[in-house]
Amino acid sequence: MTTDAFNEIAIPLEGVESEHCALIVDKGLGKVHGIASHKVELNNRRALITADENEVVSNAVSAIRDLGYDVPTIKKNIPVLDMTCASCAISVESMLKSQPGVVAAAVNFATTSVAVEYLPNMIDTAGMQKAVQSIGYDLLIESAEKEAETLEAIHQQKFSALKKKTLWAALITVPLVLIGMFFMDIPYANEIMWVLSTPVVLYFGKDFFINAWKQARHRSANMDTLVALGSGTAYLFSVFNTLFPSFWHSRGLHGHVYFEAAAVIVTFILLGKLLEEKAKGNTSSAIKKLMGLQPQTVTVIKADGREEVLSIENVNKNDTILVKPGEKIAVDGMVTAGSSYVDESMLSGEPVPVLKKESDAVFAGTINQKGSFRFRAEKVGSETMLAQIIRMVQEAQGSKAPVQKLVDKIAGIFVPVVIGIAILAFVSWIVLSGDNGFTQGLIAFATVLVIACPCALGLATPTAIMVGIGKGAEKGILIKDAVSLELAKKVNAVVLDKTGTITEGKPVVTDSYWENEDLHLKQLFFSIEKQSEHPLAEAVVKHFEGLSATAITGFESLTGRGARAQANGSVYYAGNRRLLDEKGIRIGEAFLERARQWSDASKTVIWFADAQEALAVFAIADQIKSTSMQAIQALKQTGIEVYMLTGDNEATAAAIARQTGITAYQAEVLPEQKAAFVKQLQAQGKTVAMVGDGINDSTALAQADVSIAMGKGSDIAMDVAKMTIISSDLNKIPEAIQLSRQTVATIRQNLFWAFIYNVIGIPVAAGILYPVNGFLLNPMIAGAAMALSSVSVVTNSLRLKWKR
Ligand SMILES: Nc1ncnc2c1ncn2[C@@H]1O[C@H](COP(=O)(O)OP(=O)(O)OP(=O)(O)O)[C@@H](O)[C@H]1O
Ligand SMILES: [Cu+]
Ligand SMILES: [Mg+2]
């Protein structure tokens, strides 16, 4: 560790192009607490800072980013090996944070991984690995694909080694306990017990001592320290009593031996770990299930019509793939021939198979039913939706919930505090009951160390989050971070977008009116809409199917209004009435008349115009999703306010609101106004969930406390939103809120049990009840209780999985 010298850290800068920028950054750094000196080198595009603590770097980097300049860093999720306990997580975390160049490090004990952000010019993964190794842990540094496999193999191997060790330890411990309880009067009882307990404590339990030693070298301590001290004290004390029984006899006392206690502690803690590992494996079963959905081989149809079975890595984009009845679909793509029903429940949570025909999208991991079809591969490997979901769920399961911060703080000081209490108990016993107090004080010392368990505390939050996020994924609710999962239960206002959220988002042109029908104009309209990403544009494109496109230039999307482009030197617009009004475009009476009729029939009206006058008006209908009304009712029934915001016109909005039972809505809102509306609700103290599907919703999504995107919507909305409902069924919103409630309740129960257990267990172990009723906790029982506490926390989290 380099805590002694003042470290110089070079922070690379991006966007610092002028003397002026350099000055701003330098001034910004001047305000960061803890920086000893700083200078900005414009030519080298970097800032040099010195500080006696590396933690300052994180503040410096965020200060630079706050000023609008970027610091190129690398973010990685690296598996951590050999962590046994939540306080190990804290040790690894602070070790990494102290390495020059590490900007941030967050260790998650449940997923046994660390999320690091670092400056690649200062440190690399090998450097971090070395630091972590020095305190007795390790980082698994591998290529991303191999990582999952290797990690799985390592876990498997460790698990079976642990199983063997526990079994042997238990086999030896059972006779030991029998002797200790019933046969203390046989000859050489003490010596026999010494012989039996030695392999258990010193061989099967050697890792506790080794790890405690490694920790001690860095002046830190973790659960292993507690176990090593507790069991080691009992063992050494017993050895002493066996060798020098006269020491106590001469003082008129009996030197009892505690060999069985020393061994039982080790055995129980090994057993507890074994059960914990097993349960922890179950909490991540959702991920394993998702990974298992990927088939290993694919039937590709070659250009000459030959069928060839390839392994999944060898499939390329644009390959034609044959899907036979009952087969799993291997990659994402679009159906080119044939049709069939496909079970997409694993992705969307929707149990009913979906009909797939020509030009429909199919997804990796879904299962074909009875038909057969061919499709063209469009996304392969890590690009498929399945791969993205897996990545997202993994990251989310590793993210920290806000409550975790407090728990981490407590876990960090837990071990030293416990050792303090243990010493205090020992000293008190001697002071209060003299010579006799020494033996009992020593036992109280060992018992306190053994019963105190920081792991239950450390497991309380992450295991519940893992199960909650995994369960969400199974229901087709993708949750990107723990914060959203924790927050969702507080939501009391839901803002819904109309098109694509309440409605199907599959608009169809139902009517159209041209003053002068002209093929070239139609082609122009078609060409503009063809370039637009808006769902309404798709309807127009479909309407003109078969028409050929014509050359346009300078296409520009006007969010909330429509689009424009140029052709033959003049400008053309496709969009809403607002757009035409803003451009001062004339609209003939015949158009206006039809527009009124159509919007009263709750249809969306869009226009096509040149710079002077309207050329055509179209009516587009978009059906309300069959599930929307029920979902809106369900939300209202739980006391949540429901609002609708839409960029569409007033009459259409009113009609949709009426049909779905929404009383509060606003029409013709621009994207910024959607965000402003959310902000306004927040200002009234509400926790707001925004639900949307389009680019026009993304600012509002970013503003909301909980952001929910529709899986069938635009990629941008899904990128911004912290939750995605893959099936786009609004009924999943109350379900997500319910899931959040259950998860938070589980976390609370877990924390309660973890705390109460220590709050009661430690004083009793110290002997607080002894003056009252003569009760002294047996160190063996303490070992069992300690093992049980983390098992019960993990089991409670698993219960969440089965809750409805
Ligand atoms: N490519 C386009 N072609 C024609 N009209 C468009 C196009 N893009 C937008 N518009 C017009 O602008 C209006 C507002 O669009 P916006 O994307 O803000 O909301 P929306 O998708 O209609 O509704 P919601 O906000 O409920 O999703 C649309 O109703 C439509 O009239
Ligand atoms: Cu523990
Ligand atoms: Mg929309």
Side-chain angles (χ1 to χ4, degrees):
M1 260 199 301
T2 38
T3 43
D4 42 2
F6 272 55
N7 288 309
E8 185 164 79
I9 295 154
I11 304 177
L13 300 170
E14 230 160 65
V16 178
E17 306 289 348
S18 66
E19 207 56 64
H20 176 68
C21 302
L23 218 69
I24 294 178
V25 171
D26 199 47
K27 222 166 134 197
L29 288 173
K31 289 191 191 129
V32 178
H33 189 76
I35 294 185
S37 75
H38 52 96
K39 67 169 181 256
V40 176
E41 297 181 343
L42 185 57
N43 293 336
N44 294 330
R45 300 263 164 80
R46 63 180 194 175
L48 289 177
I49 62 169
T50 57
D52 48 1
E53 266 189 349
N54 182 62
E55 262 96 309
V56 175
V57 176
S58 147
N59 296 339
V61 169
S62 33
I64 295 170
R65 287 185 176 153
D66 278 348
L67 293 168
Y69 303 102
D70 196 27
V71 177
T73 55
I74 296 182
K75 286 185 184 173
K76 260 199 185 132
N77 242 316
I78 309 174
V80 185
L81 305 177
D82 304 332
M83 286 197 298
T84 49
C85 168
S87 54
C88 306
I90 309 272
S91 311
V92 173
E93 195 170 296
S94 55
M95 188 45 151
L96 283 172
K97 276 184 180 162
S98 73
Q99 296 306 301
V102 173
V103 178
V107 176
N108 185 305
F109 178 47
T111 55
T112 58
S113 66
V114 57
V116 282
E117 181 180 3
Y118 59 97
L119 301 167
N121 56 312
M122 294 290 300
I123 195 167
D124 55 8
T125 47
M128 290 186 258
Q129 185 179 32
K130 228 158 114 194
V132 171
Q133 279 169 346
S134 79
I135 47 168
Y137 310 103
D138 205 351
L139 295 182
L140 181 69
I141 296 169
E142 288 269 15
S143 66
E145 298 84 57
K146 253 189 105 181
E147 205 167 78
E149 266 173 51
T150 326
L151 195 62
E152 184 66 19
I154 291 180
H155 278 322
Q156 277 301 334
Q157 195 191 336
K158 292 221 153 140
F159 186 77
S160 53
L162 181 61
K163 205 162 151 186
K164 225 188 209 155
K165 213 154 74 171
T166 311
L167 211 73
W168 275 107
L171 258 147
I172 303 176
T173 303
V174 170
L176 196 57
V177 171
L178 289 178
I179 296 173
M181 286 168 86
F182 306 112
F183 306 106
M184 281 309 283
D185 41 14
I186 60 171
Y188 298 109
N190 283 2
E191 284 75 7
I192 294 172
M193 286 172 74
W194 185 6
V195 169
L196 283 174
S197 67
T198 302
V200 178
V201 177
L202 298 186
Y203 182 70
F204 298 119
K206 71 170 186 290
D207 285 344
F208 296 117
F209 295 95
I210 294 174
N211 287 336
W213 171 242
K214 279 187 184 164
Q215 290 283 322
R217 270 197 334 209
H218 287 271
R219 279 187 216 88
S220 71
N222 64 8
M223 191 187 89
D224 294 331
T225 315
L226 299 183
V227 176
L229 277 177
S231 140
T233 307
Y235 180 80
L236 284 180
F237 183 56
S238 307
V239 172
F240 179 86
N241 290 354
T242 309
L243 294 177
F244 311 107
S246 53
F247 180 84
W248 299 107
H249 287 178
S250 65
R251 287 170 174 75
L253 295 165
H254 178 66
H256 197 74
V257 296
Y258 294 93
F259 284 121
E260 79 279 22
V264 164
I265 290 167
V266 168
T267 305
F268 270 139
I269 288 171
L270 286 176
L271 185 69
K273 263 193 190 154
L274 188 72
L275 293 174
E276 182 184 314
E277 282 303 317
K278 203 168 163 114
K280 254 165 63 181
N282 271 330
T283 59
S284 60
S285 65
I287 280 277
K288 290 204 190 103
K289 227 189 255 172
L290 283 171
M291 284 177 164
L293 292 173
Q294 184 82 259
Q296 292 310 310
T297 57
V298 188
T299 314
V300 173
I301 300 189
K302 294 278 162 184
D304 56 9
R306 247 179 335 112
E307 283 179 20
E308 194 176 333
V309 177
L310 296 179
S311 85
I312 181 92
E313 307 88 60
N314 299 327
V315 176
N316 294 314
K317 253 180 226 178
N318 293 323
D319 280 353
T320 300
I321 294 167
L322 176 68
V323 183
K324 294 175 192 157
E327 249 179 18
K328 273 188 204 151
I329 293 164
V331 296
D332 291 2
M334 195 201 269
V335 178
T336 51
S339 75
S340 177
Y341 280 87
V342 172
D343 175 6
E344 295 190 328
S345 60
M346 52 299 284
L347 296 185
S348 68
E350 289 300 312
V352 189
V354 188
L355 177 65
K356 298 288 177 182
K357 49 189 191 323
E358 216 166 296
S359 81
D360 281 343
V362 289
F363 300 99
T366 56
I367 301 174
N368 179 28
Q369 306 289 294
K370 299 203 178 79
S372 169
F373 59 89
R374 291 175 181 199
F375 74 96
R376 190 178 58 240
E378 283 177 342
K379 287 180 176 166
V380 300
S382 60
E383 286 176 8
T384 64
M385 174 134 98
L386 178 67
Q388 282 173 356
I389 290 177
I390 291 173
R391 223 174 307 136
M392 253 192 265
V393 172
Q394 258 169 343
E395 270 171 33
Q397 286 187 329
S399 68
K400 277 190 184 179
V403 279
Q404 180 72 26
K405 287 223 175 80
L406 175 72
V407 178
D408 279 354
K409 250 191 207 143
I410 295 171
I413 56 161
F414 189 86
V415 175
V417 166
V418 167
I419 295 176
I421 294 176
I423 293 173
L424 192 73
F426 178 50
V427 173
S428 310
W429 270 100
I430 294 178
V431 170
L432 295 176
S433 31
D435 260 358
N436 202 9
F438 184 86
T439 324
Q440 277 168 333
L442 209 61
I443 291 311
F445 173 78
T447 316
V448 168
L449 291 176
V450 170
I451 205 165
C453 178
C455 11
L457 216 53
L459 288 168
T461 316
T463 51
I465 291 287
M466 277 177 84
V467 174
I469 285 175
K471 191 172 169 186
E474 275 169 18
K475 290 178 157 203
I477 305 166
L478 262 193
I479 304 166
K480 271 201 241 164
D481 69 356
V483 181
S484 296
L485 183 60
E486 195 182 323
L487 217 58
K489 75 175 272 272
K490 292 204 193 124
V491 166
N492 48 16
V494 171
V495 179
L496 300 168
D497 163 61
K498 178 181 75 75
T499 319
T501 302
I502 297 178
T503 65
E504 289 281 2
K506 283 188 203 136
V508 194
V509 173
T510 54
D511 314 83
S512 62
Y513 174 73
W514 292 83
E515 199 138 72
N516 303 302
E517 277 209 57
D518 174 285
L519 181 65
H520 182 62
L521 288 178
K522 281 185 173 175
Q523 283 176 332
L524 270 175
F525 192 14
F526 172 66
S527 307
I528 294 175
E529 294 295 40
K530 217 176 151 142
Q531 295 207 20
S532 166
E533 80 314 304
H534 204 277
L536 291 176
E538 246 169 74
V540 177
V541 170
K542 207 152 206 176
H543 174 76
F544 284 127
E545 206 157 25
L547 220 59
S548 56
T550 178
I552 53 167
T553 56
F555 172 86
E556 195 187 341
S557 171
L558 310 163
T559 316
R561 296 175 174 83
R564 78 148 174 241
Q566 272 131 11
N568 326 319
S570 30
V571 60
Y572 292 91
Y573 296 99
N576 57 4
R577 177 72 186 272
R578 181 202 296 254
L579 177 64
L580 269 65
D581 289 349
E582 277 174 5
K583 302 290 172 193
I585 294 166
R586 222 171 36 246
I587 305 177
E589 190 48 44
F591 286 112
L592 289 175
E593 175 54 34
R594 288 184 169 78
R596 258 194 302 275
Q597 266 177 31
W598 293 338
S599 43
D600 283 345
S602 79
K603 289 172 184 172
T604 303
V605 176
I606 64 162
W607 302 80
F608 177 59
D610 60 18
Q612 286 79 41
E613 57 178 350
L615 302 171
V617 60
F618 276 48
I620 295 178
D622 187 9
Q623 266 187 352
I624 298 177
K625 284 177 202 161
S626 57
T627 50
S628 292
M629 210 155 87
Q630 190 193 350
I632 290 165
Q633 285 312 322
L635 285 171
K636 280 179 147 181
Q637 259 158 30
T638 46
I640 295 171
E641 294 169 10
V642 181
Y643 301 88
M644 180 179 89
L645 292 182
T646 177
D648 208 346
N649 71 67
E650 170 66 32
T652 318
I656 301 281
R658 187 164 20 85
Q659 289 173 49
T660 51
I662 293 176
T663 45
Y665 70 90
Q666 279 185 13
E668 286 167 50
V669 284
L670 293 173
E672 316 72 85
Q673 293 170 331
K674 285 191 178 184
F677 186 83
V678 170
K679 213 170 181 171
Q680 194 189 322
L681 289 178
Q682 286 169 328
Q684 295 167 18
K686 292 179 179 134
T687 306
V688 184
M690 169 76 204
V691 190
D693 71 316
I695 298 175
N696 65 336
D697 302 313
S698 45
T699 20
L701 285 169
Q703 173 66 39
D705 299 293
V706 174
S707 45
I708 306 174
M710 297 286 117
K712 290 182 184 140
S714 71
D715 288 346
I716 296 185
M718 277 183 268
D719 263 4
V720 174
K722 293 284 158 58
M723 286 193 197
T724 297
I725 291 172
I726 297 181
S727 64
S728 301
D729 173 356
L730 294 187
N731 278 315
K732 299 279 173 186
I733 299 171
E735 272 184 47
I737 293 175
Q738 170 78 355
L739 180 64
S740 163
R741 256 191 216 123
Q742 291 174 344
T743 309
V744 173
T746 305
I747 293 176
R748 295 225 171 109
Q749 290 155 9
N750 284 350
L751 286 176
F752 174 79
W753 286 115
F755 271 114
I756 199 82
Y757 163 85
N758 282 307
V759 165
I760 295 176
I762 293 176
V764 170
I768 215 156
L769 289 181
Y770 189 76
V772 185
N773 57 7
F775 183 75
L776 241 188
L777 199 62
N778 187 318
M780 292 192 279
I781 307 291
M786 135 92 190
L788 213 80
S789 80
S790 30
V791 173
S792 65
V793 159
V794 180
T795 314
N796 190 40
S797 291
L798 279 176
R799 242 166 32 103
L800 180 61
K801 217 165 158 173
W802 317 121
K803 267 196 198 142
R804 275 193 34 87

